[in-house]
Amino acid sequence: MKLLGLHHITAMAGDVAANVGFYTRVLGLRLVKRTVNFDDPSAYHLYFGDTVGTPGSALTFFYWAGQPRGRVGPGQATATAWSAPASSLAFWRERLAAHGVAFTEETRFGDAVLRFADPDGLGLEIVATAEADPRQPWAHPEVPLAHGLRGFHSVTLTHADSGRTSELLVSRMGYRETAREALPDGTLRVRHAVADGGPGAYVDLVAAPSAPRGRPGVGTVHHVAFRVATDADELAAQAEWRAAGLQVSPQIDRNYFHSIYAREPGGVLFEIATDQPGFTIDEPVETLGTTLKLPAQYEPHRAEIESALEPLPV
Ligand code: ZN
């Protein structure tokens, strides 16, 4: 497989206003696309990222208002981490505290990590890394460019036993183990990297054999998507997943990228998504995310769909 790193991560949220406020105001991300769940147009699907929602920067949400929270645990992506420069640690400590966001700190493979949760309990991290990360953040009025979030650093997948997932990543998906570190409870965090490595290319595996299995719902990750450059690379990846015995979807057109899906042996839903065509296919970069965009099949029902969606906070 010719994977290039993480593409996007999609999670489930409850209250849309609280969600938008948290990501755009507190974390300083850009709302780069407002559309609906292509499988259920009565609910938003919102994308937050850098200036253009560059692959590797986009955290996206489905909204399940009034639905119960899920349980975070084995069989899930349990933490989504952004990359920030090591020199930004104090800035983010102060900013999270100023917005009333409780956080804890730890050191991971030599980098400082702030751990916190979004309003629905979704596990988030900022890795203040000494590694080079040339990606440019969104120019947010309250977050200086020097401190802005660069895009994803890594995702943590938790399993009762990480063995089969590690084997899939290494033997079929082009990942390699790059580091391992014992956690305070005695379990291991095992870092895997793909392509050139570095922030955006990491998947960390953590084993939690005795924790209750995760349950999908608000505040949990729905799926993790990996990047490929081209459709040809995606079709090659599809063949590789099939050869590994996974049930793989056909290629699906998601307007902003083309996707295939398969559930990995440990239970996490994986997607592979193309870098093209990207979020500027249906609106200019200057006004990304400011109006509701619908796929062609829902355009005839726009008035009805729009009237059922709550207005977003500006
Ligand atoms: Zn996706």
Side-chain angles (χ1 to χ4, degrees):
M1 281 196 198
K2 295 182 184 168
L3 300 185
L4 301 171
L6 296 168
H7 186 288
H8 65 271
I9 293 173
T10 295
M12 290 169 279
D15 180 55
V16 65
N19 176 266
V20 172
F22 183 80
Y23 288 98
T24 61
R25 289 186 24 251
V26 181
L27 293 192
L29 302 178
R30 185 181 195 189
L31 172 60
V32 291
K33 190 63 65 183
R34 59 175 82 189
T35 184
V36 292
N37 184 336
F38 286 12
D39 300 318
D40 172 13
S42 71
Y44 279 116
H45 186 186
L46 302 181
Y47 293 71
F48 303 97
D50 66 8
T51 307
V52 297
T54 306
S57 77
L59 180 62
T60 98
F61 288 92
F62 296 136
Y63 297 86
W64 288 3
Q67 294 299 305
R69 280 196 180 187
R71 180 174 63 211
V72 176
Q76 291 178 341
T78 51
T80 296
W82 275 277
S83 165
S87 55
S88 299
L89 182 63
F91 173 86
W92 283 106
R93 270 192 200 123
E94 284 167 27
R95 186 165 179 83
L96 293 177
H99 284 86
V101 179
F103 61 90
T104 60
E105 289 191 54
E106 65 180 52
T107 302
R108 182 182 301 167
F109 301 120
D111 289 330
V113 180
L114 302 177
R115 308 186 65 187
F116 52 101
D118 84 355
D120 290 305
L122 185 69
L124 302 174
E125 298 171 337
I126 293 173
V127 180
T129 183
E131 277 195 88
D133 189 346
R135 297 176 295 175
Q136 289 300 305
W138 165 237
H140 187 278
E142 292 178 6
V143 180
L145 283 177
H147 299 314
L149 303 180
R150 265 56 180 161
F152 294 131
H153 176 276
S154 50
V155 64
T156 298
L157 310 183
T158 300
H159 298 97
D161 176 348
S162 302
R164 288 187 302 161
T165 304
S166 175
E167 186 187 339
L168 179 76
L169 288 171
V170 171
S171 69
R172 299 287 186 175
M173 294 175 65
Y175 276 81
R176 58 193 178 275
E177 185 183 321
T178 59
R180 49 176 60 200
E181 191 168 73
L183 303 179
D185 63 3
T187 58
L188 280 179
R189 172 179 292 272
V190 183
R191 177 152 292 176
H192 294 69
V194 76
D196 297 333
Y202 294 131
V203 172
D204 286 359
L205 300 184
V206 170
S210 52
R213 192 171 170 81
R215 191 177 55 228
V218 167
T220 66
V221 170
H222 187 269
H223 63 267
V224 175
F226 302 89
R227 293 172 57 197
V228 286
T230 66
D231 284 323
D233 288 348
E234 182 157 280
L235 295 175
Q238 186 185 43
E240 191 69 33
W241 267 354
R242 283 188 178 139
L246 302 187
Q247 296 289 317
V248 191
S249 76
Q251 191 183 49
I252 299 171
D253 183 355
R254 295 300 188 191
N255 271 21
Y256 311 109
F257 38 84
H258 306 147
S259 299
I260 60 171
Y261 302 85
R263 199 168 291 279
E264 55 91 12
V268 180
L269 183 60
F270 278 0
E271 174 181 350
I272 292 174
T274 55
D275 280 356
Q276 303 298 329
F279 295 110
T280 54
I281 189 176
D282 58 0
E283 55 187 333
V285 62
E286 295 76 15
T287 56
L288 278 177
T290 56
T291 57
L292 183 71
K293 294 295 167 184
L294 296 174
Q297 69 268 31
Y298 295 135
E299 207 48 74
H301 310 289
R302 172 174 283 274
E304 189 184 327
I305 289 171
E306 273 187 328
S307 67
L309 293 168
E310 68 176 285
L312 296 186
V314 177

